[in-house]
Amino acid sequence: MPAKFFICPDNQQIPIESCLTACQSRQRCMFLPTLRAVAKSLHRGITEPTVTELIAGTRETFLKKTMGYAVNPQSVLYALHGSAVHTINENHTEGNMLTEIRLKDEITSGKFDLYGEILDQDSGVLGDIKVTSSYKLMKALGKYKVEIPTGEVYKTGLKKGQPKYKKEWRDDGCRNILDWAIQLNYYRILLQQQGMEVNKMVIQALCRDNSLRIASERGIDQAIYLIAIHPISDHWIQRYMQHKAAALQEALHTGKLPPVCKAKERWHDRKCQAYCQVAEYCPHGQRVKNHLALPLKEVG
Ligand code: SF4
Ligand code: SF4
């Protein structure tokens, strides 16, 4: 079941249909076409679990599929940024390339963004477009800061005689992109099942806050980064997705709440605290929001 309600600025909830028909306030909180676009982005009309739904925590996907949850239109506008960038690309795919085709197998379905001659002469490049934050980019690029000695020492003060250091960025750290890598590798498998060769997988990540100081403090100084994704074994990916699909299927069949999402899936509780749209139906989400002590293990 997709989102059913919008949350108004005064925290009242209203069925999305009713909001689109008539605002319950004196003036709409944003333009009607924008609200329509937000509503459309929430109702994609796909029944089978998609690759991205399976990559998310099973509990989160289960709750999104079974609860008529509410969203604040302000907080889902990022989805529109993503679709706008996709549309810009989609309208310029003349030549040897394919775009936005949904492929299916017996486990799931996924829609790749771009495939073909999109980077060089290689016609087997699978491309994915992301609009993301400088924080996620810093993690995805494996950027971290190190302190290196300047060769000078403090001449006065408490640190007198101690060596001076300066901070420098390195980008050979651990790349935190497993979710992106699983997604692209699954699209690769779906394309290969159709007889298409995939020689390279690349993400074009657009930083949505790149003009802000916080981005440069995170070592992000470009608007767009190309991030190569390495192949993961088909066997591992298919087993992982099969496992996630089976867990979701079982929960939907029995109606039993799946175990709490894994720490990575719930961004170590940051998602539960502020970004999970179904947190109000999740006991763990409620505890995090209420700052109550978390039990060591929750079974459902
Ligand atoms: S336009 Fe905004 S304020 Fe008006 S009903 Fe819809 S969500 Fe609420
Ligand atoms: S609140 Fe956290 S644990 Fe609960 S469904 Fe959302 S992400 Fe998962």
Side-chain angles (χ1 to χ4, degrees):
M1 192 185 297
K4 259 188 119 171
F5 301 92
F6 274 156
I7 304 171
C8 304
D10 61 1
N11 272 334
Q12 296 289 317
Q13 294 191 8
I14 179 168
I16 293 176
E17 278 307 310
S18 312
C19 158
L20 298 182
T21 309
C23 173
Q24 61 186 1
S25 306
R26 208 170 47 80
Q27 179 181 287
R28 288 192 177 277
C29 57
M30 60 183 79
F31 291 158
L32 181 56
T34 312
L35 285 159
R36 285 183 180 145
V38 170
K40 193 169 169 211
S41 75
L42 295 166
H43 291 72
R44 296 188 303 157
I46 306 162
T47 45
E48 77 275 356
T50 63
V51 170
T52 39
E53 283 175 338
L54 291 183
I55 290 170
T58 306
R59 176 179 286 194
E60 182 187 348
T61 301
F62 168 79
L63 289 173
K64 280 186 163 175
K65 285 194 168 294
T66 53
M67 296 294 171
Y69 59 97
V71 297
N72 181 340
Q74 297 272 354
S75 62
V76 287
L77 283 175
Y78 66 89
L80 293 192
H81 297 165
S83 358
V85 175
H86 283 106
T87 309
I88 292 167
N89 280 272
E90 212 182 322
N91 291 336
H92 296 283
T93 49
E94 312 78 22
N96 188 13
M97 58 188 79
L98 298 172
T99 178
E100 303 257 341
I101 296 174
R102 181 164 292 278
L103 299 172
K104 256 174 113 159
D105 67 5
E106 67 286 351
I107 304 173
T108 179
S109 81
K111 187 156 77 172
F112 64 83
D113 288 340
L114 290 162
Y115 170 75
E117 246 178 76
I118 55 172
L119 264 188
D120 48 27
Q121 304 308 306
D122 188 342
S123 58
V125 181
L126 169 60
D128 199 65
I129 297 165
K130 306 273 183 217
V131 179
T132 192
S133 65
S134 55
Y135 178 79
K136 171 85 185 178
L137 259 174
M138 176 183 75
K139 296 278 180 192
L141 294 166
K143 282 182 174 283
Y144 62 99
K145 266 184 179 172
V146 288
E147 290 204 325
I148 54 161
T150 60
E152 294 173 19
V153 292
Y154 289 96
K155 297 203 170 71
T156 55
L158 284 175
K159 290 188 180 172
K160 189 174 175 187
Q162 291 180 21
K164 282 187 177 175
Y165 292 90
K166 64 175 179 181
K167 292 203 163 138
E168 271 188 13
W169 281 102
R170 298 280 185 272
D171 45 20
D172 56 354
C174 174
R175 300 192 314 155
N176 198 340
I177 44 169
L178 186 61
D179 50 347
W180 288 355
I182 294 174
Q183 185 190 5
L184 250 75
N185 270 276
Y186 209 89
Y187 294 164
R188 170 184 62 75
I189 292 171
L190 288 171
L191 276 161
Q192 286 171 339
Q193 285 169 351
Q194 301 298 315
M196 320 266 216
E197 225 173 89
V198 177
N199 304 322
K200 231 183 316 204
M201 293 173 282
V202 182
I203 283 177
Q204 177 172 283
L206 177 80
C207 181
R208 61 172 171 246
D209 55 356
N210 87 302
S211 53
L212 302 183
R213 205 173 98 191
I214 185 81
S216 60
E217 283 170 4
R218 290 170 175 157
I220 303 300
D221 50 15
Q222 295 173 204
I224 280 184
Y225 285 84
L226 292 176
I227 304 173
I229 298 294
H230 303 308
I232 304 177
S233 107
D234 290 11
H235 181 66
W236 187 93
I237 293 272
Q238 277 166 326
R239 279 197 56 181
Y240 176 78
M241 295 297 266
Q242 245 155 7
H243 167 77
K244 299 278 309 247
L248 178 64
Q249 217 49 54
E250 192 192 326
L252 291 171
H253 182 67
T254 59
K256 194 167 169 256
L257 188 67
V260 67
C261 304
K262 300 222 164 26
K264 267 194 160 187
E265 294 166 342
R266 59 178 205 268
W267 312 342
H268 303 275
D269 287 345
R270 276 195 324 127
K271 190 171 196 176
C272 315
Q273 196 151 37
Y275 302 100
C276 178
Q277 294 167 342
V278 285
E280 67 173 302
Y281 301 105
C282 169
H284 182 84
Q286 284 304 297
R287 269 196 295 276
V288 172
K289 278 177 176 288
N290 296 333
H291 301 287
L292 293 181
L294 298 175
L296 284 178
K297 189 179 174 197
E298 189 192 328
V299 287

